[in-house]
Amino acid sequence: MEVDKGKGEAEETRKVAEADRDTVTLKSSDGKLFEVSKEAAARLSTVLAGMIAGGSIDDNGTDLKQIGSEALENVVDYCNKHANSIPSAALISSSISFNTAPFKEPEEWERKFVDRLSHDALFDLVEAANFLGMERLLDVTCHKISEMMKGKSPDQIREVFNIKNDYTKEELEEIRQELAWAFYDD
Amino acid sequence: MSSSSASEGGLTAARDWAALPSDIVLDVFLRLGPHEVMLGAERVCKPWRHVALEEPTLWRHVGLDEPHYTNERWMCCPCSVKQQMLRVALDRAKGQCEAFQGTCYDSDLLLLVIRAPFLKSLSIQHYGDYGERLVKVLKKLTLLEDVEVYFNNRIDWDKSMLQSICKACRHLKKLVLKHASAFDLERDEDEFVKERVDGPIPVMRNLHTLKLYDFDLSCKGLNAILDGCPRLETLLIDCYFDKGKMDKELKLKCARVKNLTLDTMQKPPLRWLF
């Protein structure tokens, strides 16, 4: 089945009954409309699945007030790409590590999908995925974020994400006493 | 209509990563694993540290000695630091630690009994203390299903670790025992007296995987293993073992094991043994 690519242009309200359409229209916090495959939306997002099943989808664009247009465009883009992709067998395999839970590795196209995002866009996308209950997209975005931290010291991580060191000298000293070991190479 | 409450809307300036929702931070931390979190992520900012301290799930699997883990900061980490990290991780797990892997001394083992009573999986690297104490500890961890021990030297054991460990943990599903010369490349292959497996082992009803490295196994011993472990699916023997002495019956019993590996070596001439 051919699926529309939600490109973000405002769509004319359709007169067709919602139940007969194979797409749903979503509205970002800044009022932009996006169309997404209903099947993919329901499969990938528990929140959208609930809305579709519960009939709370609005023909004129279902309000998603928490999500800006850039993030929503990425969400829709991801859903539509997912609808078109053939899941590979590798999806089942997980990173083999004693320490980490058996997460599914992102597929090649999913990796590329998040690699091209700016830090801000990644931040917005992971929040949107969280808000919409999109487990798979959370997997992909959280994987990316963890890759950005791997092997780095606290200072290096702060630099990557532009995070201010919010510890006072006294607090740092407190941690240093509790976890003296962790400061051995500072 | 949207199910959410008040709108924040619009785009703001650069995002505040310190304010990332804590369930997302937890998800990321779970992917990083305990040593990455302890050495880096958790000290970045207060909200992130809060997640590390308050989420016992993060410390459910604590592996501090993964062979393929090559974080430079971790590799330079002194042993004493790693031991401290183990303690802190077990504290933070608040009793929920289910799997532990790392270098262990007897004092750490006692800590496991107290701090990780629900441990299901234990993998000890370079165990070199008293075998007797190890067995005592294993006995107290009654939920253990999966045990792996690499003995780093000729420890002061009670002769048969295989038998003692089987006796102490009757519900094991998987058991891997490796003696020093199997992994210690700096040592002479035949420097150690091998642990001899020649007699019966307790019945292990649930055991599906058994791997033995560098034991001295007789046909009688192998026969006893096959008799004692009716559910065995995977058996790996990398030991002194003379295949030529296997009789028909033993070969038939072996054939019933789905994944069987008999990587055997010849016993060296007697002069090597002391």
Side-chain angles (χ1 to χ4, degrees):
Chain A
M1 178 179 62
E2 261 300 300
V3 181
D4 277 353
K5 285 228 161 172
K7 275 286 185 257
E9 321 87 4
E11 293 275 348
E12 283 283 339
T13 312
R14 295 187 182 174
K15 301 286 179 205
V16 194
E18 184 66 30
D20 295 338
R21 292 173 50 191
D22 54 12
T23 60
V24 287
T25 309
L26 305 174
K27 192 172 171 184
S28 67
S29 60
D30 44 342
K32 287 193 181 158
L33 297 177
F34 298 87
E35 206 157 313
V36 63
S37 145
K38 188 189 269 180
E39 181 278 324
R43 180 161 47 89
L44 297 169
S45 157
T46 54
V47 170
L48 291 177
M51 287 171 126
I52 292 167
S56 53
I57 287 288
D58 189 336
D59 284 9
N60 299 318
T62 302
D63 267 332
L64 296 173
K65 289 182 179 166
Q66 310 279 11
I67 305 175
S69 55
E70 202 192 330
L72 192 55
E73 184 172 355
N74 280 325
V75 166
V76 166
D77 201 12
Y78 176 82
C79 287
N80 288 335
K81 276 201 172 99
H82 211 284
N84 289 327
S85 86
I86 305 150
S88 77
L91 195 69
I92 307 145
S93 78
S94 55
S95 48
I96 300 162
S97 163
F98 187 90
N99 277 308
T100 53
F103 290 109
K104 286 173 186 162
E105 288 281 342
E107 295 212 34
E108 191 53 33
W109 72 266
E110 289 175 315
R111 243 178 245 274
K112 282 185 186 149
F113 184 84
V114 287
D115 279 350
R116 68 185 170 86
L117 299 175
S118 70
H119 283 20
D120 281 1
L122 180 63
F123 184 96
D124 292 342
L125 186 57
V126 73
E127 280 208 323
N130 195 36
F131 175 71
L132 291 171
M134 299 179 72
E135 199 187 327
R136 182 65 199 152
L137 185 55
L138 267 175
D139 261 351
V140 177
T141 44
C142 287
H143 177 88
K144 172 69 184 168
I145 296 170
S146 74
E147 290 288 306
M148 291 159 78
M149 294 186 189
K150 233 169 227 173
K152 295 196 169 75
S153 69
D155 275 340
Q156 289 166 326
I157 298 174
R158 281 187 203 111
E159 208 179 302
V160 171
F161 295 101
N162 195 21
I163 295 173
K164 272 203 190 107
N165 188 347
D166 60 353
Y167 290 107
T168 61
K169 257 191 181 169
E170 289 75 21
E171 285 166 335
L172 267 183
E173 194 45 47
E174 214 172 283
I175 304 174
R176 196 183 288 269
Q177 276 173 16
E178 182 199 349
L179 308 175
W181 47 269
F183 290 81
Y184 77 97
D185 65 346
D186 274 13
Chain B
M1 288 295 122
S2 166
S3 58
S4 60
S5 54
S7 145
E8 306 226 312
L11 297 170
T12 46
R15 310 300 184 267
D16 180 7
W17 286 85
L20 210 57
S22 59
D23 43 355
I24 295 177
V25 176
L26 176 61
D27 193 320
V28 172
F29 281 10
L30 281 169
R31 285 159 208 275
L32 286 171
H35 22 31
E36 285 279 344
V37 170
M38 285 179 159
L39 285 174
E42 75 166 68
R43 282 191 290 137
V44 167
C45 57
K46 286 192 225 174
W48 289 14
R49 182 162 151 81
H50 188 76
V51 172
L53 293 179
E54 300 304 324
E55 294 285 354
T57 44
L58 195 52
W59 313 98
R60 211 167 260 180
H61 284 231
V62 179
L64 293 180
D65 211 2
E66 284 190 296
H68 306 297
Y69 186 66
T70 53
N71 176 342
E72 211 172 290
R73 301 185 68 231
W74 172 254
M75 309 254 277
C76 302
C77 214
C79 260
S80 60
V81 169
K82 292 180 182 176
Q83 295 305 113
Q84 264 178 301
M85 288 170 90
L86 153 68
R87 278 152 213 256
V88 171
L90 286 178
D91 271 351
R92 290 178 181 177
K94 300 192 168 73
Q96 290 185 30
C97 184
E98 288 178 1
F100 173 81
Q101 181 200 50
T103 303
C104 252
Y105 300 99
D106 281 344
S107 55
D108 304 316
L109 287 174
L110 292 174
L111 201 73
L112 282 174
V113 172
I114 299 162
R115 297 278 195 225
F118 302 120
L119 206 66
K120 283 190 193 154
S121 166
L122 175 61
S123 170
I124 303 176
Q125 328 274 319
H126 307 294
Y127 182 78
D129 276 356
Y130 297 95
E132 210 175 301
R133 287 190 202 155
L134 171 68
V135 171
K136 262 188 196 162
V137 163
L138 292 179
K139 207 170 190 173
K140 286 189 179 145
L141 294 166
T142 51
L143 297 179
L144 277 178
E145 293 177 354
D146 181 350
V147 169
E148 201 173 307
V149 187
Y150 292 10
F151 299 102
N152 78 347
N153 212 325
R154 229 156 42 95
I155 58 160
D156 183 15
W157 56 39
D158 62 348
K159 296 285 191 290
S160 171
M161 289 313 288
L162 173 66
Q163 195 176 43
S164 310
I165 290 176
C166 284
K167 222 182 256 174
C169 317
R170 299 293 291 274
H171 306 295
L172 285 187
K173 293 181 176 167
K174 186 178 170 190
L175 177 61
V176 178
L177 297 178
K178 205 176 253 199
H179 279 299
S181 43
F183 61 87
D184 196 338
L185 298 174
E186 285 172 20
R187 288 176 189 276
D188 191 307
E189 175 71 29
D190 303 311
E191 190 177 335
F192 305 102
V193 177
K194 305 278 188 278
E195 176 177 330
R196 183 144 178 84
V197 180
D198 188 35
I201 61 161
V203 176
M204 304 290 283
R205 292 203 185 288
N206 303 322
L207 200 74
H208 61 65
T209 299
L210 178 65
K211 297 183 182 181
L212 299 177
Y213 296 86
D214 234 33
F215 283 75
D216 179 3
L217 180 68
S218 71
C219 283
K220 197 172 148 202
L222 179 58
N223 201 43
I225 287 171
L226 293 165
D227 285 346
C229 313
R231 295 233 169 95
L232 209 57
E233 287 177 6
T234 299
L235 176 63
L236 185 148
I237 302 285
D238 188 352
C239 300
Y240 285 170
F241 178 72
D242 192 350
K243 273 188 211 176
K245 287 189 180 155
M246 288 170 83
D247 62 17
K248 218 177 183 180
E249 199 191 343
L250 184 55
K251 281 180 188 166
L252 273 174
K253 268 185 199 170
C254 278
R256 272 182 240 143
V257 179
K258 214 195 290 174
N259 309 306
L260 178 76
T261 313
L262 281 174
D263 278 336
T264 59
M265 20 177 188
Q266 290 296 318
K267 239 182 224 190
L270 261 179
R271 64 190 164 85
W272 287 105
L273 301 172
F274 37 137

